[in-house]
Amino acid sequence: MTRRKGAAVLGAALLLALLANEFVVVGVKSAATADDGSKQTRRVRSQSAHLASLVRVVRGAVALCETFLDECWLDSGTLLGARRSGRVLRWDEDGDLGVSRAAHLKLSALSAANETIWCTAMNSTRRTPCQSLDDFLAERALRLDWTGRVEDVIARVVDPETELYVDLFVYFRYEREKPLENRFSHKVALHLTETEKVAYQGGGLVHGVFSRAWTGTCMSCKTRRKDDRKVPVFPADWIFPLRRCQIEGVSAWCPHETERVLTYMYGESFLTPPAS
């Protein structure tokens, strides 16, 4: 068989495998969709390998939250998968977690210092040393990449073998009676109704920042016309206090009103998977 004919046969076999959903083409958000404008090469891997890696990195990111952070919850597509079936969406290219601004700052400090933290064991008042953040990641063969941005996706938990990752989206919440003083909040406030502004200034809203990450996916997010970027804005009691939920067999935190959050993002029919 000639080299050209062999390549043609291989290409045809690969196409049939793709059509049979045995393989998935993975192109982790290109410049057209990534808010940081990054370009990454698309690659082909088996569906089973893709799912195994995605499940592993989602479990690892949830474990990181459980160990080090107080306010960290399933978000966007990962929240949708948890609500539908307790599993990640089989066609998802990445995972999603939301973190509060306070959790973001804590994670940043832990990453910079790489110091061992102290934990209190359940049913005990004795404090014992836990792993440092670097040791925690190394034990699980994961990597924490900082995006260099202080808004939207502030960091990613990455599986180095496949480069699949979980995005950490930062959300802002303010104490009651605190004015709109943060520069991101000021930009968002320009798009709020008068009723929403009153609620926000009273500590009643939680919001992200304008990002392309929600463009084309979030149905009710507010849209900035000049660049079509979107921002989610939720009543605070839709998010807090967080509730326990399950994803891929592990316990995680979810928004207090998961159904309302998912309806806001994906519409009334969010429980119905798309036709395959």
Side-chain angles (χ1 to χ4, degrees):
M1 183 182 292
T2 65
R3 183 176 299 178
R4 182 176 297 177
K5 185 177 293 184
V9 171
L10 179 61
L14 180 58
L15 177 59
L16 289 173
L18 286 168
L19 293 174
N21 288 323
E22 293 178 6
F23 288 83
V24 59
V25 179
V26 179
V28 190
K29 298 190 173 75
S30 66
T33 54
D35 203 40
D36 59 2
S38 62
K39 294 183 179 180
Q40 299 190 31
T41 303
R42 296 181 70 86
R43 56 179 66 90
V44 178
R45 67 173 66 92
S46 71
Q47 181 71 46
S48 59
H50 176 87
L51 281 175
S53 175
L54 186 58
V55 167
R56 194 175 82 80
V57 75
V58 166
R59 285 175 174 166
V62 168
L64 182 149
C65 288
E66 294 287 309
T67 304
F68 297 100
L69 306 178
D70 297 323
E71 293 181 335
C72 180
W73 60 93
L74 304 186
D75 193 22
S76 301
T78 303
L79 179 64
L80 179 60
R83 178 61 185 84
R84 280 182 180 171
S85 63
R87 304 177 65 183
V88 297
L89 301 174
R90 67 186 299 273
W91 59 83
D92 228 349
E93 290 189 351
D94 57 19
D96 306 289
L97 293 178
V99 298
S100 67
R101 174 65 170 163
H104 166 210
L105 294 175
K106 181 178 180 180
L107 184 62
S108 180
L110 287 169
S111 179
N114 192 33
E115 295 177 350
T116 299
I117 63 171
W118 291 79
C119 298
T120 303
M122 190 175 294
N123 301 322
S124 172
T125 58
R126 184 179 179 181
R127 289 169 61 79
T128 57
C130 299
Q131 292 175 300
S132 70
L133 180 59
D134 281 359
D135 288 343
F136 175 92
L137 293 165
E139 183 179 273
R140 291 160 177 78
L142 297 173
R143 189 178 77 232
L144 182 66
D145 287 353
W146 291 95
T147 63
R149 310 200 299 277
V150 294
E151 51 183 301
D152 74 332
V153 181
I154 48 95
R156 287 168 174 152
V157 180
V158 185
D159 180 349
E161 185 175 339
T162 63
E163 293 299 320
L164 288 176
Y165 56 78
V166 172
D167 280 330
L168 302 183
F169 287 90
V170 65
Y171 285 83
F172 295 84
R173 178 179 59 161
Y174 287 83
E175 300 298 330
R176 190 169 298 278
E177 305 303 331
K178 189 170 183 179
L180 293 166
E181 59 187 36
N182 182 279
R183 67 188 180 94
F184 301 127
S185 297
H186 178 69
K187 292 178 181 178
V188 171
L190 296 176
H191 298 262
L192 301 181
T193 66
E194 290 304 315
T195 300
E196 287 171 332
K197 287 180 182 178
V198 171
Y200 183 74
Q201 289 173 319
L205 294 180
V206 173
H207 70 85
V209 295
F210 285 103
S211 170
R212 293 194 185 97
W214 290 291
T215 301
T217 59
C218 182
M219 295 185 66
S220 300
C221 285
K222 294 184 178 295
T223 303
R224 189 166 61 189
R225 292 183 179 179
K226 69 178 183 179
D227 54 14
D228 203 34
R229 296 189 182 198
K230 291 191 173 187
V231 60
V233 180
F234 305 114
D237 57 7
W238 286 17
I239 307 296
F240 302 106
L242 299 174
R243 291 179 182 268
R244 278 296 182 185
C245 57
Q246 293 284 319
I247 183 73
E248 294 295 344
V250 299
S251 180
W253 290 107
C254 282
H256 191 74
E257 297 286 352
T258 290
E259 303 244 345
R260 288 186 171 183
V261 170
L262 290 175
T263 299
Y264 176 96
M265 299 194 79
Y266 301 110
E268 296 286 346
S269 61
F270 71 84
L271 280 176
T272 304
S276 56

